[in-house]
Amino acid sequence: MTAAGRPRRIVPVACRTRQGDPDGVHLAVEEWIPRVEMWVTSPALCGQSAEQGALPADTMVTCTDGDGSCESYHDSYQRALDGRPTAQQEETDRLRAECERLGGDLDVYREEVRTLQDQLEQVAYDRTWPPDRERPADVRREVERVTTAGAQQVEAVKLAYKAARIRWDRERDRLVRENLDAANRAQIEIEQLRAAAALTTEYRIPCPGHRLGAGADLIVQRMPTEDRWAIFNPNLDSPLRVWTGERYERIGTDIYRREGFCWSREEALDLVPGLAGQETARDWAWFEEMRTQAAGGAQ
């Protein structure tokens, strides 16, 4: 099955201290690596080194205290795996929408105040009224009341808009800091994975369906003095036979040692799954031949 059929997931893992003592149950990201046909777990979400292999899904997680715990990062990692925006991004979008809404409300209120002022002025001032006579007192008071109320409403909207801008500026700075922290943690995790890969000197690749089970594993091994890799098949007449591109040849007899270690790590890991399938087919063909010969001898 391809990696698309086995998405990354968050699983409980065991961790140990530098002295090798158990250090509780943490959370890590587990990913299917097609080239080696196995699940691989990352370091714990809190940055702690984790043992390979996921624990049962119902195992209780103990790394739950504080902002730097696995539990505190669980939601943001799960959102990233699901392709959903982070909680910070959702809050940013909400604050931005609130700012836009308050800005629109301010324009609407201003227009309403101007409309009311025009209507009241039109009612209060009759062009046919003699210029030497004062306007009616009740109309004048109504105009003053509405003008004051409109000014107060405009001021309230201004204050709400200013508060929303302050909240937005504060949240923006916090989000920038958190995104930088997340980027730094991701870089550290990448460096840790690279360092772990650099220390690995041997991979054992199963031959699916082989009669010998784990005893038939092909071995991808690094040359001790150089970054050169060889693919050993211990199932042949000599455990020193390595794949050279067309056939298995024996180091020390058919080829020099350096000629056997002729692959890069990536090339060897890409080739070995196909060779494992061929080895299983070769083993079963030999077994069928032996069984046929035995049946013929019995007759």
Side-chain angles (χ1 to χ4, degrees):
M1 183 179 291
T2 63
R6 295 180 176 179
R8 292 183 296 173
R9 58 197 182 189
I10 296 177
V11 296
V13 294
C15 289
R16 292 187 177 274
T17 64
R18 294 179 180 272
Q19 292 75 29
D21 298 325
D23 194 22
V25 179
H26 295 242
L27 293 173
V29 176
E30 186 177 50
E31 182 177 4
W32 179 256
I33 306 299
R35 67 172 59 174
V36 296
E37 292 289 327
M38 64 184 345
W39 288 98
V40 175
T41 53
S42 70
L45 304 187
C46 64
Q48 187 81 358
S49 296
E51 296 182 350
Q52 285 295 320
L55 299 175
D58 58 353
T59 304
M60 180 178 295
V61 178
T62 60
C63 183
T64 59
D65 297 332
D67 293 337
S69 65
C70 289
E71 190 62 34
S72 66
Y73 295 126
H74 190 178
D75 180 69
S76 58
Y77 271 81
Q78 190 62 57
R79 286 172 177 267
L81 294 179
D82 295 341
R84 296 183 290 126
T86 63
Q88 293 85 355
Q89 184 61 44
E90 289 182 351
E91 180 65 13
T92 300
D93 295 340
R94 186 189 67 77
L95 289 173
R96 185 179 291 111
E98 182 180 355
C99 288
E100 294 175 355
R101 180 184 64 79
L102 290 174
D105 290 347
L106 181 61
D107 294 336
V108 171
Y109 293 148
R110 284 173 175 169
E111 185 61 29
E112 288 181 354
V113 170
R114 285 194 292 267
T115 301
L116 288 173
Q117 288 176 339
D118 291 342
Q119 291 176 352
L120 289 172
E121 287 292 338
Q122 185 176 357
V123 172
Y125 184 76
D126 186 351
R127 293 183 180 276
T128 63
W129 196 270
D132 58 341
R133 294 184 61 182
E134 188 179 7
R135 297 177 185 175
D138 58 342
V139 175
R140 185 170 61 250
R141 284 196 300 270
E142 183 65 16
V143 171
E144 292 173 353
R145 184 188 68 79
V146 172
T147 301
T148 301
Q152 292 175 347
Q153 190 175 26
V154 169
E155 186 63 24
V157 173
K158 286 181 178 178
L159 292 175
Y161 181 79
K162 183 178 180 180
R165 286 294 307 179
I166 292 173
R167 289 197 302 272
W168 159 247
D169 292 338
R170 183 173 60 250
E171 290 298 317
R172 179 190 58 196
D173 294 340
R174 181 177 63 83
L175 292 174
V176 169
R177 290 194 301 270
E178 290 182 354
N179 288 334
L180 287 175
D181 291 342
N184 290 333
R185 288 195 302 271
Q187 184 62 36
I188 292 173
E189 182 177 336
I190 291 172
E191 295 300 329
Q192 290 175 343
L193 291 174
R194 287 177 176 171
L199 295 176
T200 302
T201 59
E202 182 177 295
Y203 299 91
R204 301 187 71 89
I205 311 302
C207 296
H210 200 286
R211 293 179 306 107
L212 298 180
D217 291 354
L218 300 188
I219 301 172
V220 177
Q221 191 176 92
R222 183 180 183 273
M223 192 173 182
T225 57
E226 298 183 50
D227 189 20
R228 299 167 65 90
W229 295 74
I231 304 171
F232 288 87
N233 186 344
N235 304 296
L236 303 177
D237 59 338
S238 170
L240 296 179
R241 287 195 177 274
V242 296
W243 181 255
T244 59
E246 296 182 356
R247 60 184 177 274
Y248 287 101
E249 299 188 72
R250 185 163 56 185
I251 292 179
T253 302
D254 303 328
I255 56 175
Y256 291 108
R257 180 176 180 80
R258 196 170 188 277
E259 292 175 324
F261 287 83
C262 59
W263 310 103
S264 66
R265 184 201 309 264
E266 290 75 15
E267 291 172 340
L269 292 177
D270 285 340
L271 286 171
V272 74
L275 296 175
Q278 295 176 12
E279 174 56 26
T280 299
R282 184 199 66 79
D283 177 68
W284 279 104
W286 174 85
F287 180 71
E288 291 296 332
E289 180 181 353
M290 294 297 100
R291 186 164 60 179
T292 301
Q293 292 177 4
Q299 292 177 359

